[in-house]
Amino acid sequence: MSSFKKMILITMLTPLFIACSDGPSESTVEGLIEAQYEQANSMMNGAMTSDGNDEMVKALSGMMENIIPKLESIENISCDTTEGENTYMCVADITQTVGGNSTTNKASFKVHQVNNEWVLGD
């Protein structure tokens, strides 16, 4: 096969390969992880501010601030198909601070597309 024919074949097949890779974008995955942290923080803040005058609640709130992780960054996001066409196994380096100590860990999680929306899985 001549190099011209190979180039035409590659040019024709490239859009097909791109169209088949409908996985979540890095920004989508990053947004899902950030939303998970925000939801956890919101739930904790709601529980701790239910009675702002109670000294016990204030003490618990201060203690919880030191053990609730705070998201710093999400890097090196990568997703591969798994278990069907709308499910992806993703990995990312997540940096968070807990009690003043910052750590970076590689996290694995599933991302599913449900009704044209991306969601974190179990």
Side-chain angles (χ1 to χ4, degrees):
M1 183 181 274
S2 71
S3 55
F4 178 73
K5 287 182 181 179
K6 287 180 185 176
M7 187 173 76
I8 295 295
L9 183 62
I10 290 171
T11 304
M12 291 175 65
L13 291 177
T14 299
L16 177 64
F17 291 131
I18 292 171
C20 291
S21 62
D22 291 330
S25 67
E26 284 189 22
S27 62
T28 298
V29 174
E30 189 171 338
L32 291 171
I33 295 169
E34 289 171 347
Q36 191 78 7
Y37 274 81
E38 289 172 11
Q39 181 181 19
N41 287 334
S42 176
M43 288 171 49
M44 195 54 77
N45 287 338
M48 290 298 142
T49 59
S50 62
D51 186 5
N53 295 327
D54 187 359
E55 290 300 318
M56 180 95 146
V57 171
K58 289 179 185 176
L60 282 174
S61 177
M63 184 175 72
M64 294 305 284
E65 277 186 23
N66 290 323
I67 62 172
I68 300 296
K70 300 212 180 352
L71 181 64
E72 289 183 38
S73 67
I74 305 163
E75 298 174 331
N76 303 321
I77 298 169
S78 165
C79 297
D80 292 315
T81 58
T82 186
E83 299 176 13
E85 63 185 73
N86 291 328
T87 302
Y88 293 80
M89 179 58 76
C90 300
V91 294
D93 295 331
I94 298 178
T95 304
Q96 62 184 11
T97 301
V98 178
N101 297 316
S102 179
T103 58
T104 301
N105 295 304
K106 186 167 289 297
S108 299
F109 46 91
K110 287 184 183 176
V111 176
H112 306 279
Q113 189 174 34
V114 180
N115 297 326
N116 293 323
E117 300 257 345
W118 291 105
V119 296
L120 285 177
D122 298 331

